[in-house]
Amino acid sequence: MSDRRPNAKNVVVLYSSAYSQGNVQDPMQSAIQLKSQGVTIITVAIKGAAWPTLSLLASPDNGFSVTGSDVNTLVLNAFCQANCFCKSGFTRLVDSSGHQYGECVAVTNNVNNWVSASVDCSSWYRGSFLASEFSSFKHSFILNLTKPLKLDSYFIGLSYNKFTSGYQWQQPNGTIIALDSTFLPWLTGYPNNMYGDCVKIIRANNPSAQNMVWMNAHCYEEVANYVCQMNTCDTNNYCATLNDYD
């Protein structure tokens, strides 16, 4: 199976009632080496007293105890998380508490108009599209990814649909999601139907790095960097390659 699914992640599960550090059989160095090679280690302490030290062998947040709450569910979730990852060049969406989402985003160095940017995202990896921003959290997450490039503007996957008379978000496989009123960081005076049907993020007059807002723009005439998004690779979305166009 491993030859046919080369990118499925390897996981080691260790059940133990005790762990004694520092002796000749200490597996710590082996655990460090395995984790450096991308292997996820899950530890389960059979006795609660062993949990603090046994967890040192585990990958982050993957040390559990049978005396804890529903250890089987926790281990199953750890397996799911281990096999949920992003393709090369993409960063997984994660919040301040460390919770990871099934979305990956990538800021490009390319400059294109909105339509060409959309095509380039989908050409980069199958299932990739211009990024959505349903919340201030996602907006800030993407903004932080753009900071190393010091961008003053970049396209996102929001555009106006004249047939439905409303803005909508790009999604994979040509599906769309209508813009709702939950999060609308428009520049004052926008959207303005004189300035095109596609949306980019620009730096407002305030020099604050956080003050980036939406502005509708012409889909073909204006150019900017852009942010692509795709779903994580997982058991339902197997990724045959990580680095090549597919």
Side-chain angles (χ1 to χ4, degrees):
M1 289 295 290
S2 60
D3 291 337
R4 290 182 294 169
R5 294 175 61 86
N7 298 315
K9 299 298 182 180
N10 294 314
V11 178
V12 172
V13 182
L14 173 62
Y15 284 82
S16 180
S17 60
Y19 168 44
S20 179
Q21 295 175 274
N23 60 41
V24 293
Q25 295 180 326
D26 188 344
M28 179 59 75
Q29 289 305 313
S30 295
I32 292 173
Q33 183 176 0
L34 285 170
K35 287 184 284 188
S36 71
Q37 295 171 350
V39 177
T40 296
I41 299 178
I42 301 170
T43 62
V44 181
I46 298 174
K47 294 181 179 179
W51 174 79
T53 53
L54 192 64
S55 294
L56 297 175
L57 300 173
S59 300
D61 302 317
N62 282 331
F64 309 113
S65 170
V66 294
T67 60
S69 59
D70 198 356
V71 67
N72 290 333
T73 299
L74 293 173
V75 171
L76 179 60
N77 181 66
F79 268 102
C80 292
Q81 289 295 330
N83 274 288
C84 188
F85 54 94
C86 294
K87 284 200 170 190
S88 177
F90 284 78
T91 300
R92 191 167 175 189
L93 181 65
V94 57
D95 64 23
S96 58
S97 68
H99 179 78
Q100 300 183 87
Y101 296 81
E103 300 178 12
C104 305
V105 292
V107 181
T108 71
N109 286 311
N110 301 334
V111 174
N112 269 315
N113 62 43
W114 190 94
V115 174
S116 296
S118 177
V119 172
D120 191 49
C121 281
S122 62
S123 299
W124 188 3
Y125 283 125
R126 184 178 64 248
S128 179
F129 54 98
L130 282 171
S132 59
E133 293 189 344
F134 298 135
S135 65
S136 59
F137 149 63
K138 179 90 172 281
H139 176 82
S140 297
F141 184 87
I142 291 175
L143 174 58
N144 285 331
L145 291 181
T146 69
K147 284 182 178 179
L149 296 178
K150 299 180 179 179
L151 303 183
D152 288 321
S153 66
Y154 49 92
F155 285 121
I156 54 175
L158 187 62
S159 62
Y160 186 78
N161 187 325
K162 290 183 171 66
F163 296 102
T164 61
S165 299
Y167 280 88
Q168 61 190 29
W169 291 106
Q170 272 194 345
Q171 293 294 292
N173 305 318
T175 58
I176 57 173
I177 295 178
L179 176 67
D180 62 27
S181 59
T182 305
F183 179 66
L184 300 170
W186 290 104
L187 178 66
T188 302
Y190 287 81
N192 186 323
N193 59 14
M194 294 178 61
Y195 294 105
D197 295 331
C198 298
V199 176
K200 66 179 179 178
I201 290 180
I202 67 162
R203 191 178 306 282
N205 293 330
N206 189 314
S208 167
Q210 294 296 325
N211 197 19
M212 300 288 282
V213 291
W214 295 353
M215 173 184 178
N216 61 303
H218 294 290
C219 299
Y220 290 94
E221 289 84 351
E222 298 187 42
V223 297
N225 292 83
Y226 44 99
V227 181
C228 300
Q229 175 177 330
M230 67 182 302
N231 294 334
T232 52
C233 303
D234 55 34
T235 53
N236 293 320
N237 179 36
Y238 173 67
C239 296
T241 64
L242 295 182
N243 300 301
D244 302 325
Y245 289 73
D246 61 351

